[in-house]
Amino acid sequence: MFERIAVQPPAGSRNPQHGHAFRASPGRPALTSVHRLGTSLVAALALLAGSAALAPTLSAASPAQPAPDPAQAPYDLTTDAPVLIVLGQSNAVGSGVPIQDAADVAQCKAFGHVKGLDRTNNRVTGAESATWSPYTCAGSNLGKEYNGGRSYHVASATALRWERAVTAGVALPDLHVIHVAWGSQGIQEASAPDNRWWPDRDPTDVESLFPLTVNTIANGLRALREAGKRPRIIGMHWNQWEAEADARSTISADQVQRAFLGVLGPLQTVTGGTSFPVFLYRPRAATKGPIRTQYITDALTGLAARPAPNPYRLLDAAQAVSATGTPLYDPAIPRNFGIFYDGIHYTRAVQEWFADQQWKTVFTDKQFGAPVQATVNAALHRPATQSSTNWAGREEAGNAVDGNTSGVYWDVTPSYTKYEAQPWWQVDLGAKQTIRSVELFNRTDRLFERLTDFDVIVSDTDLTGRGWADIQADPAVRKIRIKGTAPTKLTVAVGADGRYVRVQLAGTNHLTLPEVQVNVPIG
């Protein structure tokens, strides 16, 4: 779907209030697994590590820290809204680690100081808004839930810790959690059908996690701002790698690192590009083949080792400690090594250690989350043109920047070209702007399939008169390919500067656009 931008390939690459809700307005066979670890403890440890030497990681934790002094957290309790984003596969879901502690079970039914995005209102393709409501452990993961949704993972463990701190008297604003995770899902096309994190997967399918997440983050942050809040992202967790270790398409560390950046880059862009830690998880498993696991390890450690300023941090379960400071990792325990319950899925203690690293990042490292800068629609009422007009005097290009986002023809009268090859629509922002994202609103009554397989194009200069092939060959023009049909609303992360924004079909059809919004930071 998206040709990722705003992130440069790695060097050497050959080629990503209390208690109430508020609402914003209007897509293989594995290498031999280790089933018999009795052959050699050394071999088992090498498989577990993925390499002989430990790669750069977040420093080992001390025992769980006490609640912070309120003076440590410079949050405005009225306006600030800390946001935690948790994404990934089964270990981000907490697969096989049900919440059974009686106090935690009771707390998980509803939080007073943590908000989430429930599945009923927010797991919607092309949603135009987001609904924040009291967080519950079950029903707040927009991917796929296991254990009835009540599992220990970094989202629920952090939520429980935050709630108890506020209850104990720590002056903290409400935490807001965005959680999208689904077990065994890859970021590469070749992992199909288990490729729900692949960015080019059908954006109209609610199980396509990448477009769902981009749109959800954009809507969630906007909802907070429209409620008078100031979003501050305290961390983004990306716990996904297992599918890449299984995929035959994984042929090098360089290739898989580009795939990771193709997902992470746009996700960082749509948050506003503010500085916050992005937590990656070092591959650890006794059930994955060592060769491809090594590719993943090299890719992720390479990201974490980039020079400052570098948002990427690598968490390593082999460094986890218990609440009393006892190391959890034990090489003398075959297959589970003290950190797994089944050779690949982490225990509750490890998940709570992950949450402890997030907690310490905020309250020990004092990375409270820079406020996410608000945006404004720079395209509103700006001059717009199109390659042709199907019905002159009615279906004009300016209709797509009049502020009406309705997808019903007779409510909005969209812009509308004639049936032609590579029809285009373009808006002039008036000056070069830093474009965070473009939001496209599609028709909802009929003929929505016409907005299929197209480019969102950003340029410093007017593209009028230039052909498709010429634009495609121009490296100075930013092009983001959307594969498949656009849902009701599609958020396209851009993260580039430009004055002209164009939408152009790759094939032959009418191009019809009810509304196009170009979001740029205020000021």
Side-chain angles (χ1 to χ4, degrees):
M1 187 176 70
F2 299 106
E3 284 185 2
R4 263 57 58 195
I5 62 178
V7 176
Q8 296 300 317
S13 64
R14 292 182 295 274
N15 297 27
Q17 289 235 11
H18 294 292
H20 70 274
F22 44 88
R23 187 178 182 88
S25 59
R28 59 197 186 274
L31 293 181
T32 304
S33 298
V34 176
H35 296 296
R36 297 178 296 275
L37 293 176
T39 55
S40 167
L41 181 59
V42 173
L45 291 176
L47 174 57
L48 179 64
S51 67
L54 285 176
T57 59
L58 197 66
S59 60
S62 58
Q65 302 297 306
D69 185 304
Q72 286 186 301
Y75 290 121
D76 184 309
L77 299 183
T78 302
T79 60
D80 280 343
V83 178
L84 173 68
I85 303 172
V86 177
L87 313 169
Q89 291 184 209
S90 55
N91 273 313
V93 178
S95 178
V97 194
I99 295 175
Q100 296 176 326
D101 179 87
D104 289 350
V105 170
Q107 185 64 76
C108 275
K109 295 178 180 178
F111 288 69
H113 306 286
V114 182
K115 301 294 188 291
L117 298 173
D118 67 88
R119 293 169 63 86
T120 301
N121 293 298
N122 299 284
R123 191 172 183 263
V124 180
T125 300
E128 297 184 24
S129 59
T131 302
W132 291 100
S133 56
Y135 180 82
T136 57
C137 296
S140 294
N141 175 10
L142 304 187
K144 183 176 181 179
E145 296 190 320
Y146 302 86
N147 306 317
R150 288 179 292 274
S151 299
Y152 286 106
H153 42 69
V154 71
S156 62
T158 303
L160 287 164
R161 188 163 188 173
W162 196 280
E163 183 76 15
R164 287 170 182 153
V166 178
T167 302
V170 179
L172 294 173
D174 289 353
L175 175 67
H176 297 78
V177 178
I178 298 175
H179 186 197
V180 186
W182 191 316
S184 303
Q185 301 308 311
I187 58 176
Q188 300 179 86
E189 180 180 12
S191 298
D194 296 328
N195 62 352
R196 288 176 175 84
W197 275 114
W198 178 43
D200 289 343
R201 202 172 185 273
D202 180 10
T204 62
D205 184 352
V206 74
E207 295 184 1
S208 295
L209 303 180
F210 179 82
L212 174 69
T213 301
V214 170
N215 200 46
T216 297
I217 292 174
N219 288 341
L221 297 180
R222 180 184 295 113
L224 290 172
R225 286 194 294 266
E226 292 185 355
K229 300 295 183 181
R230 184 171 62 168
R232 299 175 65 162
I233 299 173
I234 61 173
M236 177 186 291
H237 290 252
W238 178 258
N239 193 345
Q240 187 278 345
W241 64 267
E242 299 100 314
E244 274 44 67
D246 286 340
R248 286 186 171 180
S249 59
T250 297
I251 58 174
S252 72
D254 176 76
Q255 168 255 333
V256 78
Q257 188 177 94
R258 291 198 309 273
F260 279 125
L261 288 173
V263 174
L264 295 171
L267 293 175
Q268 292 168 269
T269 295
V270 79
T271 62
T274 55
S275 177
F276 58 85
V278 178
F279 295 94
L280 309 175
Y281 289 72
R282 181 189 172 87
R284 294 287 184 186
T287 61
K288 298 293 179 183
I291 297 178
R292 294 192 181 101
T293 300
Q294 183 64 57
Y295 292 151
I296 314 304
T297 300
D298 291 346
L300 294 177
T301 54
L303 290 176
R306 286 183 165 191
N310 181 14
Y312 298 114
R313 300 187 178 193
L314 196 63
L315 294 179
D316 187 350
Q319 295 185 348
V321 298
S322 69
T324 60
T326 302
L328 298 174
Y329 176 74
D330 186 347
I333 304 176
R335 186 173 173 84
N336 288 332
F337 300 95
I339 58 176
F340 306 116
Y341 75 87
D342 63 352
I344 188 169
H345 295 109
Y346 294 124
T347 63
R348 170 186 174 179
V350 174
Q351 294 285 2
E352 291 180 327
W353 181 80
F354 290 151
D356 188 50
Q357 305 317 295
Q358 173 64 72
W359 184 265
K360 290 169 62 181
T361 296
V362 176
F363 296 109
T364 301
D365 299 342
K366 302 186 186 306
Q367 295 192 22
F368 302 106
V372 178
Q373 193 172 9
T375 60
V376 65
N377 176 17
L380 186 63
H381 302 310
R382 294 298 307 170
T385 53
Q386 56 190 8
S387 54
S388 64
T389 301
N390 188 60
W391 183 350
R394 180 174 181 84
E395 298 170 342
E396 300 290 346
N399 294 348
V401 290
D402 63 2
N404 188 341
T405 62
S406 171
V408 178
Y409 181 93
W410 294 107
D411 290 343
V412 64
T413 308
S415 67
Y416 214 129
T417 71
K418 295 179 179 179
Y419 184 86
E420 58 189 342
Q422 286 104 36
W424 56 265
W425 174 95
Q426 178 175 289
V427 62
D428 178 3
L429 304 181
K432 188 175 180 178
Q433 308 253 23
T434 297
I435 300 169
R436 182 181 300 174
S437 64
V438 172
E439 293 181 312
L440 304 173
F441 293 81
N442 199 1
R443 289 185 64 174
T444 57
D445 50 0
R446 56 191 296 268
L447 302 176
F448 52 84
E449 69 279 0
R450 287 180 172 173
L451 190 53
T452 298
D453 295 339
F454 58 94
D455 279 7
V456 174
I457 303 170
V458 176
S459 174
D460 291 342
T461 59
D462 189 353
L463 298 171
T464 303
R466 297 184 62 179
W468 173 265
D470 180 35
I471 293 173
Q472 293 297 314
D474 188 347
V477 176
R478 186 69 77 184
K479 299 166 284 288
I480 308 169
R481 173 59 54 87
I482 311 299
K483 296 181 179 179
T485 300
T488 304
K489 191 197 82 170
L490 179 67
T491 301
V492 181
V494 176
D497 294 345
R499 172 174 174 174
Y500 297 88
V501 176
R502 172 180 283 206
V503 179
Q504 186 164 12
L505 294 186
T508 300
N509 210 326
H510 296 274
L511 174 61
T512 176
L513 295 166
E515 191 73 11
V516 178
Q517 296 180 351
V518 180
N519 298 312
V520 304
I522 293 176

